[in-house]
Amino acid sequence: MGMIRGVGVSAGIAIGVIHVPDTAGHAVERRSPDDPQSEVERFRSARDAAVAQLKQLRDRTAAEFGEGKAELFDTHRLMLQDPDYVESIEDLITSSKVNAEFAVNSTAEQFAAMFAAMDNSYMQARAADVKDVSRRVINVLEGRRGGTAADTGGDSRIILAEDLAPSETVQLDRSKVLGFVTARGSANSHTAILARTMGLPAIIGIGDAFDPADDGRTAVIDGTSGLVFVDPDEKTLAEYQGRKAQFEEHLRLLQELKGKPTETKSGQQVRLYANIGRPSDVAAVLANDAEGIGLFRSEFLYLESEDWPTEEFQFEAYREVAQKMGDRLVVIRTLDIGADKQVGYFNLEHEDNPALGYRAIRICLTRPEIFKVQLRALLRASAYGNIAIMLPMITSVQEVRDAKKILDEVKDELRGGHVDFDERIQVGIMIETPASVIMADELAAEVDFFSIGTNDLTQYTLACDRQNPNLARFADPHSPAVLRMIRMAVEAAHRHNIWCGICGELGADLSLTDTFLRLGLDELSVPPASVLPLRNAIRNH
């Protein structure tokens, strides 16, 4: 028996025979065409065919998994039509007199390297996407479909591959594919996201342990722990057969919790909300029966735009979420750009320590023309649902007052234009700096609620850059210092009769649920998939 350790990205246990698909790429040959302009036309024709293929894949994905996951292929189509991408390929063909296949492959490598070098983990994961779409164009140019991981040979198998592109993942036949393991990949990749959506146990990052010779062997994969057992012995096999049955029963029982109140056996109630980044994520919020949205990361509207998102664009996004959520509260965080979330058109200067730099509320207060556009959109959307506004990275009372002054100016403008909005809209702040904890009593007198961002609070309290993997052992969110900060914030909020919640990753940590209940937190906002497991833990407390 051999044991391999990777990174689990989609929970569940699969037991079956390994299938290693023949998807190995081949070297793209460099040729010197006689007529470069004809080669440009070959590329354009292949690109158009690839766009048409992606349209079909998008429609299939929307029908099976919903519009939210189908948007990936809209992004892929935009990549193929991106002027910089197209210009790079066509310039390479004409200036270097190379064939279209070589130009596409070279541009893909260049763009992928650019994405991989970015500080933002979301943008790093786009390196796989640009390679995926480029491989599609090359396949069209070469007149072949290429190998596909979707073909398991007719039997139920566990896929073992170097990597899986998102387009390959979405085409996996769930009646035959039990799960998959890859040598490479990212937990933030669309492949990992799709695996969770499809309910497929998945493990990435096994590296050099990937061995095509394992094809046909029996394996056990645990998508929670990231463990792979090749040719498991009888004891291991029996153990994981039992775990698999327990996991499936657990999922069944969780579904029975839909519609039931989130309260302990003693009657202590907690509001259980969900975190989202896009309007399309609301489907998962509703499917998992969250009671509201505790964090809508509005910066994704900026990160995924090539230019400033207009007031109308933002208004439509906020209104869509508010309407879909009905009476349930939707807390929208104003843009949190900066630090690890960089946007080119903001033209932010390079900073040696961006986590302590020009970001979030600091940008909004010094560039009010940007802030006002978002506030107008938020206020207008508040007429269509139960919206609250949340300000990030607050360190002082003056920042809150300055932000509220700008908000009041926008309200006056809307009243003057006879534009409807919620006059009683709640305004809250993120508690994510030691300064905000120390000033919590004064801040609580200014706002309607606190929401604790445990990721940044841990970073700033422990002086540990959360983007630095070398500090993982020191950046302990369970630190007594961090938990004491949380307690201080909760107590200050309750002294001033406002509610206090958590919207950081720690909220979904079941090992801390007891602590959070004892601290008296009013609300926990977690990823949609964590809602039912957390409700189960609270109801059994």
Side-chain angles (χ1 to χ4, degrees):
M1 179 179 75
M3 187 183 81
I4 302 168
R5 187 178 295 276
V7 178
V9 294
S10 182
I13 293 169
I15 302 171
V17 176
I18 293 173
H19 171 65
V20 181
D22 183 17
T23 57
H26 63 284
V28 175
E29 181 183 356
R30 175 172 181 162
R31 301 192 307 275
S32 299
D34 295 331
D35 184 359
Q37 189 55 42
S38 294
E39 207 65 15
V40 169
E41 293 303 324
R42 278 187 70 228
F43 159 67
R44 291 176 180 173
S45 177
R47 186 213 40 201
D48 291 344
V51 169
Q53 289 177 4
L54 287 167
K55 173 65 166 60
Q56 293 179 340
L57 195 53
R58 184 226 182 278
D59 292 344
R60 171 183 165 179
T61 304
E64 192 168 356
F65 304 114
E67 286 291 329
K69 299 302 178 288
E71 288 174 0
L72 159 65
F73 299 105
D74 289 331
T75 302
H76 278 196
R77 285 192 291 165
L78 290 173
M79 281 183 171
L80 286 180
Q81 297 167 322
D82 177 72
D84 291 336
Y85 176 82
V86 172
E87 185 179 335
S88 176
I89 293 170
E90 294 186 355
D91 283 352
L92 198 55
I93 292 172
T94 55
S95 63
S96 300
K97 293 183 172 58
V98 298
N99 53 311
E101 293 91 338
F102 184 83
V104 173
N105 190 64
S106 297
T107 298
E109 293 295 335
Q110 175 191 341
F111 276 58
M114 177 183 69
F115 282 127
M118 292 182 178
D119 291 335
N120 187 311
S121 60
Y122 175 84
M123 298 307 291
Q124 288 171 352
R126 303 292 72 78
D129 293 328
V130 74
K131 287 185 176 181
D132 187 8
V133 297
S134 299
R135 172 52 58 187
R136 182 175 294 276
V137 176
I138 292 170
N139 284 343
V140 174
L141 285 165
E142 295 181 340
R144 65 191 185 89
R145 292 182 60 193
T148 171
D151 181 11
T152 66
D155 298 323
S156 296
R157 301 288 181 93
I158 292 171
I159 300 294
L160 176 64
E162 276 278 3
D163 203 357
L164 288 178
S167 58
E168 290 176 314
T169 306
V170 80
Q171 294 179 84
L172 294 175
D173 185 344
R174 285 179 291 170
S175 69
K176 295 179 180 178
V177 176
L178 305 173
F180 65 80
V181 180
T182 62
R184 294 180 281 120
S186 160
N188 296 311
S189 70
H190 283 301
T191 295
I193 293 168
L194 285 167
R196 292 190 284 271
T197 301
M198 297 164 71
L200 284 176
I203 296 170
I204 63 168
I206 66 169
D208 294 340
F210 169 73
D211 186 356
D214 287 335
D215 185 76
R217 293 180 175 174
T218 299
V220 172
I221 69 171
D222 183 344
T224 301
S225 67
L227 293 178
V228 181
F229 299 91
V230 179
D231 288 335
D233 56 34
E234 290 185 8
K235 180 180 178 182
T236 301
L237 189 60
E239 177 187 347
Y240 276 89
Q241 285 172 335
R243 290 190 185 187
K244 184 174 183 293
Q246 290 175 353
F247 182 79
E248 291 170 351
E249 175 65 8
H250 176 65
L251 292 180
R252 187 189 67 77
L253 291 173
L254 286 180
Q255 294 304 308
E256 295 181 358
L257 291 175
K258 290 184 177 181
K260 293 186 177 179
T262 306
E263 64 180 17
T264 65
K265 291 181 177 179
S266 62
Q268 180 182 351
Q269 294 192 339
V270 180
R271 295 194 293 276
L272 190 47
Y273 293 170
N275 302 333
I276 67 169
R278 307 164 184 78
S280 57
D281 294 339
V282 174
V285 174
L286 297 174
N288 287 279
D289 197 38
E291 297 160 29
I293 292 173
L295 172 62
F296 181 167
R297 300 180 177 93
S298 68
E299 59 270 14
F300 279 97
L301 300 180
Y302 294 78
L303 286 166
E304 297 177 358
S305 297
E306 295 182 357
D307 204 347
W308 302 101
T310 64
E311 177 186 326
E312 203 62 28
F313 174 79
Q314 294 190 64
F315 163 68
E316 291 294 343
Y318 304 143
R319 180 177 68 171
E320 178 184 346
V321 173
Q323 288 180 323
K324 287 181 177 178
M325 292 300 293
D327 293 334
R328 283 172 280 195
L329 183 64
V330 177
V331 178
I332 302 178
R333 179 173 70 186
T334 57
L335 69 94
D336 188 7
I337 294 298
D340 61 328
K341 297 186 282 274
Q342 297 291 324
V343 179
Y345 55 82
F346 271 71
N347 296 315
L348 301 179
E349 294 181 1
H350 171 76
E351 296 178 296
D352 291 333
N353 196 339
L356 300 180
Y358 189 50
R359 60 173 295 196
I361 197 66
R362 297 166 184 176
I363 294 176
C364 292
L365 294 180
T366 54
R367 299 173 73 173
E369 69 281 3
I370 298 173
F371 197 27
K372 282 190 171 183
V373 170
Q374 181 172 39
L375 291 177
R376 282 181 62 89
L378 284 167
L379 287 171
R380 289 173 56 200
S382 71
Y384 296 87
N386 186 9
I387 285 178
I389 295 173
M390 182 161 67
L391 308 173
M393 274 298 293
I394 294 297
T395 61
S396 72
V397 171
Q398 191 59 50
E399 289 169 350
V400 176
R401 290 175 177 168
D402 288 346
K404 288 166 65 178
K405 180 180 178 182
I406 295 173
L407 180 63
D408 286 340
E409 291 172 2
V410 175
K411 287 181 177 180
D412 286 340
E413 292 171 6
L414 293 177
R415 292 187 190 105
H418 304 289
V419 178
D420 291 337
F421 66 91
D422 180 4
E423 290 280 1
R424 297 187 298 173
I425 189 169
Q426 291 188 70
V427 177
I429 62 170
M430 296 276 289
I431 298 292
E432 48 193 337
T433 65
S436 63
V437 175
I438 293 169
M439 298 298 295
D441 275 295
E442 289 82 354
L443 289 167
E446 298 283 337
V447 297
D448 298 303
F449 64 90
F450 285 167
S451 187
I452 301 170
T454 55
N455 299 346
D456 270 331
L457 184 61
T458 300
Q459 171 174 247
Y460 296 127
T461 299
L462 302 181
C464 285
D465 180 358
R466 62 190 179 100
Q467 301 296 319
N468 188 339
N470 295 323
L471 298 178
R473 61 173 291 196
F474 303 105
D476 177 16
H478 290 210
S479 162
V482 175
L483 297 178
R484 188 172 296 182
M485 287 275 186
I486 294 172
R487 176 175 59 80
M488 292 167 65
V490 174
E491 291 175 350
H494 290 171
R495 279 194 293 271
H496 292 267
N497 298 312
I498 67 172
W499 63 268
C500 182
I502 281 181
C503 64
E505 290 182 13
L506 219 57
D509 187 336
L510 298 182
S511 69
L512 286 174
T513 302
D514 174 75
T515 299
F516 293 153
L517 289 170
R518 293 179 189 281
L519 289 177
L521 278 151
D522 305 290
E523 175 255 5
L524 296 170
S525 190
V526 298
S530 298
V531 169
L532 292 176
L534 184 53
R535 178 172 294 160
N536 184 56
I538 292 171
R539 285 177 59 85
N540 283 310
H541 188 273

